[in-house]
């Protein structure tokens, strides 16, 4: 059994509980590959897990955080047909990505496009798979529809913005920070809403000829629920992928019924292998090629830090000052 | 312009405001047919409309109730290709079905199977189209899944029961009246839940090997919302088509997200022509043939009354003692 270096959560707590330690890694079994991880993206879920609020699903290490990685195939198990040693791969996992080595099923891994640095590839999987799955697979966004994205400057937000524009949809993005909206304009955000009082439905309608948003990607949860439904067009679909603002709210069923609205919750982390593999295969076909130069998609990277600075990385994310992903790199 | 006899709501109020009166009917325009109505099913929405709580959508008479009809084609407009005078048809409308004559678009009308009396056909459209649309088109129920139906003894409930069993799904039905569940057993309900205290999630899990219901058809609304989500399997889809119990309730977003649940509102009445026509065409292909003898589907008719007894019919429905539809027949 190989030994990896990894970020370990010694006990629930602040950034100071994160230590670089040695952990065992599973040998790749049938259909699996051992990845030598070059870099891993930092996610808000890592912060929650560190505080003890978001335990890893069964089958993943409880004390090693990390939901996405990019690296090279170091070894392949039996019956592996898709990869060989040296291939560059990236992907999401239920945990354990902040380690030098990681075992995943070959059908969960995505190819890293040529010309893309592994430190940038590490910023792709969680944000782009989450956004792609939510707005297309879950909500069925199509060309000509309007997408409303909250926290559009976040990793998932900037991914949704790029994916939806590429699909021919109108994108309306909200943020509480005006400077972040200006950065999003550089990524093609035409309809920016600076929201400071939780009101955006009227502005959304004004930007959509009175119709409202066909699809809404929400990370706020409770406090926005009623206003979210108000911002939706008839037959609008809202996908909730985060609850940064609160876990419950009054649902106006009358409006839901009369306007035929859909509210769906979604999370990638705890999905079974077959669903993650199906999503990875579809993403490989439909999205990965567009990360090639001129393809129209690019990960948004705030900074690349050495993995030894994982504590500082958590602190930076908690201050909410980043634009795009913080990536941690092994040296 | 032809003149029809029709039930008219003189002003909002009790059953006594319903009168048989004469009303004008539109001549059939291009693509439209004039139907001589033989019978019309009574729906809870008619009671709401009579009380002034559920106005007809634009394009339908404000004062003539009736959401479903069965009859014969009396005349066809220009460019009609699907029907000829004398053909037996049934269908849903946004209002005005409690009249001797009715003009509809030819693509909204459904054929009445041979051997089925028009008084029985009149009990099909609203219940079966609503159930079919909700559990298949909206919620994607497939063979092997479990469907939980509240008020299973209602018109929509008995339709959902029959349609879902025919599709190879397990059906769990609730009712507050034990005698009605016994009647549903005759229609093939194997898993009946007599619910008197608003609790059914644990029993639903017990009937589904712990998994919960994949699809839930709800007419209760607010008071059941939390228990409904609890009764759903992971990735479960709930369609709300009625709010008999209340219009709003706390939505536990944490469970929605973690278990990837969907809550959707749906209503047929105010849909645009293209959607009603698309549903009618799909229903004609997939469902109507099964109303032929031995086909496995049958409307559930509580009683057939002459249209002149419309006041008594409303009173009976309000007492909530019916099993299946009350049909009103013109003489």
């Amino acid at each position: 059994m190989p030994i990896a270096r990894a970020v370990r959560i010694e006990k629930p707590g602040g950034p100071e509980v994160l230590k670089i330690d040695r952990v065992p890694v599973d040998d790749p079994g049938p259909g699996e590959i051992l990845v030598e991880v070059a870099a891993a993206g930092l996610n808000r879920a890592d912060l929650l897990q560190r505080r003890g609020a978001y335990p890893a699903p069964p089958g993943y290490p409880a004390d090693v955080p990390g939901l996405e990685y990019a690296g090279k195939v170091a070894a392949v198990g039996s019956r592996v047909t898709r990869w060989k040693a040296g291939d560059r791969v990236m992907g999401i996992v239920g945990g354990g990505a902040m380690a030098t080595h990681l075992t995943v099923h070959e059908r969960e891994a995505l190819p890293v496009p040529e010309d893309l640095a592994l430190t940038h590839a590490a910023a792709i999987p969680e944000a782009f798979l989450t956004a792609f799955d939510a707005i297309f697979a879950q909500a069925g966004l199509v060309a000509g529809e309007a997408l409303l994205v909250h926290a559009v400057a976040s990793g998932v937000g900037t991914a949704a913005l790029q994916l939806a524009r590429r699909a021919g949809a109108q994108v309306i993005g909200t943020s509480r920070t005006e400077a972040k909206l200006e950065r999003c304009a550089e990524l093609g955000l035409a309809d920016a809403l600076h929201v400071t009082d939780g009101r955006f439905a009227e502005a959304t309608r004004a930007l959509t000829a009175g119709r409202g948003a066909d699809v809404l990607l929400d990370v706020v949860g409770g406090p926005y629920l009623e206003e979210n439904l108000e911002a939706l067009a008839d037959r609008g679909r809202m996908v909730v992928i985060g609850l940064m603002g609160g876990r419950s709210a009054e649902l106006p069923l009358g409006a839901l019924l009369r306007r035929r609205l859909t509210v769906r919750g979604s999370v990638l982390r705890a999905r079974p292998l077959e669903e993650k593999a199906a999503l990875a295969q579809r993403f490989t076909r439909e999205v990965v090629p567009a990360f090639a130069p001129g393809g129209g998609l690019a990960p948004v990277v705030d900074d690349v830090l050495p993995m030894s600075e994982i504590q500082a990385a958590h602190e930076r994310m908690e201050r909410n000052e980043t634009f795009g992903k913080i990536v941690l790199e092994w040296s």
Side-chain angles (χ1 to χ4, degrees), chain A:
Chain A
M1 184 179 281
I3 297 292
R5 282 178 296 149
V7 173
R8 268 200 59 224
I9 302 167
E10 289 202 310
K11 58 185 179 198
E16 72 284 354
V17 304
L18 300 169
K19 296 287 152 60
I20 306 290
D21 206 346
R22 290 183 177 272
V23 298
V25 180
D26 290 337
D27 282 314
E32 293 185 331
I33 57 175
L34 178 70
V35 179
E36 184 182 351
V37 176
L42 184 64
N43 288 280
R44 232 160 252 285
D46 296 329
L47 278 56
L48 290 175
Q49 185 172 356
R50 189 203 70 215
R51 292 200 288 263
Y54 193 30
Y60 294 96
D63 56 349
V64 181
L67 297 177
E68 60 185 331
Y69 67 89
K72 285 186 181 166
V73 176
V76 300
S78 62
R79 290 187 240 144
V80 165
T81 60
R82 209 172 155 71
W83 311 104
K84 61 183 190 309
D87 284 347
R88 301 192 326 149
V89 291
M90 59 185 178
I92 56 168
V93 285
M98 298 253 168
T100 55
H101 294 81
L102 187 63
T103 301
V104 299
H105 195 279
E106 65 160 340
R107 295 194 70 83
E108 291 177 284
L110 310 165
V112 175
E114 273 185 64
D115 300 313
L116 190 67
L118 289 175
T119 48
H120 278 64
I124 290 176
E126 186 68 25
F128 280 87
L129 282 167
T130 298
F132 176 75
D133 178 73
I135 65 182
F136 299 115
Q138 305 297 324
L141 182 73
V142 294
E145 289 194 318
L147 170 70
L148 176 60
V149 183
H150 290 312
V152 66
S154 68
V156 174
T158 52
L161 165 60
Q162 296 181 59
L163 289 167
R165 286 194 71 224
R166 179 169 171 261
Q170 177 188 3
V171 181
I172 301 161
T174 77
S175 174
R176 291 184 292 188
T177 311
E178 198 140 25
K180 289 186 178 181
L181 287 172
E182 285 161 22
R183 299 284 299 274
C184 287
E186 295 163 24
L187 292 172
L189 181 66
D191 296 316
L193 295 180
H194 182 210
V195 173
T196 53
D197 58 355
R199 296 286 153 209
F200 46 80
E202 199 182 317
T204 300
R205 292 196 175 273
L207 289 167
T208 52
R211 258 168 39 79
D214 302 286
V215 173
L216 195 162
L217 185 60
D218 183 44
V219 292
V220 175
Y224 274 15
L225 182 59
E226 191 178 348
E227 184 84 1
N228 275 340
L229 296 188
E230 185 61 34
L232 282 177
D234 289 359
R235 303 184 73 190
R237 296 86 71 195
M238 164 178 163
V239 183
V240 187
I241 58 167
L243 299 172
M244 289 179 62
R247 303 182 67 78
S248 130
E250 199 76 5
L251 178 67
L253 284 162
L256 193 85
L257 196 145
R258 191 176 65 252
R259 298 177 43 222
R260 303 163 58 196
L261 308 177
T262 300
V263 179
R264 173 173 288 193
S266 185
V267 63
L268 289 186
R269 192 180 190 186
R271 295 193 187 178
L273 171 64
E274 68 274 18
E275 286 188 55
K276 283 185 174 169
L279 177 59
Q281 299 305 314
R282 184 174 168 196
F283 188 87
T284 297
R285 288 192 306 272
E286 297 182 26
V287 184
V288 169
F291 286 106
L297 297 182
V300 181
V301 176
D302 182 87
D303 205 354
V304 180
L305 300 173
M307 194 65 80
S308 56
E309 291 186 30
I310 184 68
Q311 294 186 358
H314 275 231
E315 284 160 7
R316 264 175 69 173
M317 181 173 253
E318 282 183 340
R319 285 196 302 271
N320 204 23
E321 289 163 359
T322 53
F323 182 81
K325 284 265 171 176
I326 300 176
V327 173
L328 284 303
E329 180 181 23
W330 289 106
S331 54

